[in-house]
Amino acid sequence: VLFVGAGPANLAAALHLKNQIAEHDEFVKKGIKHGREIGEIEIGIVEKGAFVGAHILSGAVMDALALRELMPDFLEQGCPVDTVVTEDAFWYLTKNRSINAPIVPPPLKNKGKYIVSLSRVCEWLAEKCEEAGINIFPEFPASEVLYDENERVIGVRTGDKGIDKEGKPKGNFEPGVDLLAKVTVFGEGSRGSLAKQLTRRLGLNKDKEPQVFSLGVKELWELPAGRFDEGKVVHTLGFPSDTDTYGGGWIYGMKNNVVSIGYVTGLDYKDPLIDPHAEFQAYKTHPAIAEILEGGKMLKYGAKTINAGGWNTMPQLYADGALLVGDCASFLNGQRIKGIHIAMKSGMLAAETILSAFDHDDFTSKTLKHFEEKVNMSWIYDELHAVRNFHGAFQKGRWSALI
């Protein structure tokens, strides 16, 4: 089994698959379960980044729902949680004022959830995978999907290494390799290049709404001691976006006087002059935000696309020899601005589907289509289906959407 992309969805999937196979074989051996023993299988994860976590960027307040299912003792096992959310606030920003809402909207209540560095969580999950005997190959960008004569996915081809900017081989040139697998799981994030090739070639977006993207720009700041409480989570609406533009900001208080601050702009904006990065820069000039950052030092910055379309934009999740998990399959709750727990759960359900495929020795859509059924029968459906029109509502402007 080959996993493309070492994000939370695929790392959870690989680990869960390893655990599920061991449990399945034990139950078959003891006669508790019908079926055949699967035994040792090769599980590999390819990752384009120089190390696991290098291409991971998120807010991130994590709902530990899926992680708790995967590993009930995740805290005891050393999951790198930064801090626990102790206080929520929701601010509406006008040009010069900040209005603290008396009631925090229920989807934005995060008390008891965890503020984390998602890249560090992925690094830790990768260590757990390697301890379980799963092979992880960083610096292996997958460049194309491999198919057999029946259009069944049979693996991926990795890109050539050691190429100069003219595309010519350098002294350390290594040609790409073909990695073949019975099942290939695509968990490449919100704009996965192979997932785009796959959905286009096999028509997996047929009868689905087109994806809607937002862009989140984020910075980590070190502030003067006592400036912003550790564990405090603030979400903001309003300035600098106009009422026709989908967007909002966040400030999360982390350990050691560090805050995560960022701004999301919907890329379906109407004003052609909007620049998401400039929107974030303007956000930091608001008196309430500037007061927090004054005298601080910016440590890191980054940006990432976000699939905000939700349930109605979810592609068909399976094809012969392939499954789609995480962001590239639209597993994100746009209302809660949360996707880590849903991505991980999608990976775990994919692992259970793959186990069944090995049990039946069938890796076609006939068996893999059960992945979609598992998603529909899980809490993923309950969470995403209920908010399927959330982003769409904002196409008529902020006020009608909020109502």
Side-chain angles (χ1 to χ4, degrees):
V1 180
L2 179 65
F3 293 91
V4 181
N10 271 349
L11 291 166
L15 194 53
H16 193 55
L17 178 60
K18 193 77 177 176
N19 296 340
Q20 287 280 298
I21 289 171
E23 186 182 281
H24 169 87
D25 284 359
E26 191 186 335
F27 285 178
V28 169
K29 202 177 282 179
K30 290 179 176 172
I32 299 169
K33 191 175 179 182
H34 290 297
R36 61 197 189 94
E37 285 186 48
I38 292 164
E40 282 294 312
I41 63 165
E42 285 288 327
I43 302 174
I45 304 173
V46 292
E47 163 57 38
K48 67 183 175 184
F51 56 90
V52 175
H55 282 261
I56 299 289
L57 190 141
S58 172
V61 172
M62 181 178 74
D63 185 332
L65 186 56
L67 185 53
R68 204 168 272 120
E69 288 179 17
L70 176 69
M71 200 186 298
D73 59 345
F74 69 94
L75 290 174
E76 290 77 8
Q77 289 216 38
C79 179
V81 167
D82 191 274
T83 191
V84 178
V85 178
T86 53
E87 183 188 349
D88 286 300
F90 180 66
W91 299 351
Y92 188 85
L93 305 180
T94 63
K95 190 166 184 188
N96 295 307
R97 288 187 59 217
S98 150
I99 300 157
N100 192 357
I103 299 168
V104 174
L108 297 180
K109 285 184 177 166
N110 290 293
K111 203 167 180 180
K113 308 278 191 298
Y114 299 98
I115 300 175
V116 298
S117 159
L118 187 56
S119 62
R120 282 178 57 219
V121 170
C122 287
E123 274 187 80
W124 169 77
L125 273 172
E127 286 166 17
K128 295 293 172 193
C129 286
E130 288 181 322
E131 284 168 19
I134 295 159
N135 297 306
I136 301 180
F137 304 102
E139 290 193 276
F140 266 79
S143 61
E144 63 179 291
V145 184
L146 301 174
Y147 304 87
D148 67 9
E149 64 279 1
N150 300 316
E151 289 291 85
R152 174 178 155 180
V153 176
I154 55 168
V156 300
R157 178 168 293 153
T158 65
D160 295 341
K161 290 181 177 181
I163 302 279
D164 67 16
K165 59 185 178 188
E166 271 84 42
K168 296 191 178 77
K170 295 194 292 191
N172 60 344
F173 174 75
E174 281 179 45
V177 292
D178 289 356
L179 298 170
L180 305 181
K182 293 188 186 298
V183 183
T184 307
V185 184
F186 296 89
E188 299 181 285
S190 62
R191 291 281 288 156
S193 49
L194 296 197
K196 283 192 288 185
Q197 289 176 30
L198 183 78
T199 49
R200 199 179 299 125
R201 179 160 171 167
L202 301 182
L204 303 183
N205 284 328
K206 189 173 182 288
D207 301 326
K208 306 289 182 176
E209 288 184 15
Q211 187 55 266
V212 190
F213 291 96
S214 297
L215 187 72
V217 187
K218 168 192 173 178
E219 292 176 353
L220 290 182
W221 279 66
E222 188 180 342
L223 304 181
R227 176 70 57 80
F228 195 88
D229 293 341
E230 180 186 327
K232 183 174 181 176
V233 164
V234 175
H235 286 99
T236 74
L237 195 63
F239 180 85
S241 294
D242 58 40
T243 55
D244 279 337
T245 305
Y246 182 83
W250 79 80
I251 313 157
Y252 301 155
M254 301 168 77
K255 274 192 185 123
N256 304 322
N257 300 304
V258 171
V259 294
S260 162
I261 179 168
Y263 198 81
V264 172
T265 303
L267 297 183
D268 50 355
Y269 52 77
K270 294 173 183 168
D271 177 358
L273 301 177
I274 283 178
D275 169 348
H277 188 262
E279 290 286 281
F280 178 49
Q281 297 305 325
Y283 178 67
K284 291 187 292 182
T285 67
H286 187 279
I289 310 297
E291 188 183 356
I292 293 167
L293 298 179
E294 191 182 349
K297 185 175 80 170
M298 200 253 281
L299 304 173
K300 293 181 179 179
Y301 61 92
K304 128 178 233 308
T305 50
I306 301 163
N307 308 44
W311 186 262
N312 295 332
T313 62
M314 193 178 283
Q316 180 178 305
L317 301 173
Y318 62 90
D320 288 347
L323 295 173
L324 291 167
V325 296
D327 262 2
C328 66
S330 203
F331 283 110
L332 179 117
N333 182 335
Q335 188 191 56
R336 291 179 71 198
I337 333 166
K338 282 198 178 18
I340 301 168
H341 64 300
I342 308 174
M344 290 180 77
K345 180 66 173 176
S346 73
M348 290 161 70
L349 295 175
E352 290 164 23
T353 309
I354 293 166
L355 173 73
S356 174
F358 273 96
D359 197 24
H360 292 91
D361 199 25
D362 180 358
F363 306 97
T364 65
S365 295
K366 183 182 172 187
T367 308
L368 296 182
K369 71 178 181 189
H370 295 306
F371 175 43
E372 213 153 83
E373 292 166 17
K374 284 177 184 290
V375 168
N376 290 337
M377 295 295 285
S378 73
W379 52 256
I380 291 179
Y381 175 89
D382 300 337
E383 183 167 334
L384 292 187
H385 191 262
V387 297
R388 64 196 179 280
N389 296 317
F390 178 77
H391 187 96
F394 280 84
Q395 288 171 344
K396 288 198 163 55
R398 182 187 301 154
W399 298 116
S400 59
L402 287 178
I403 290 163

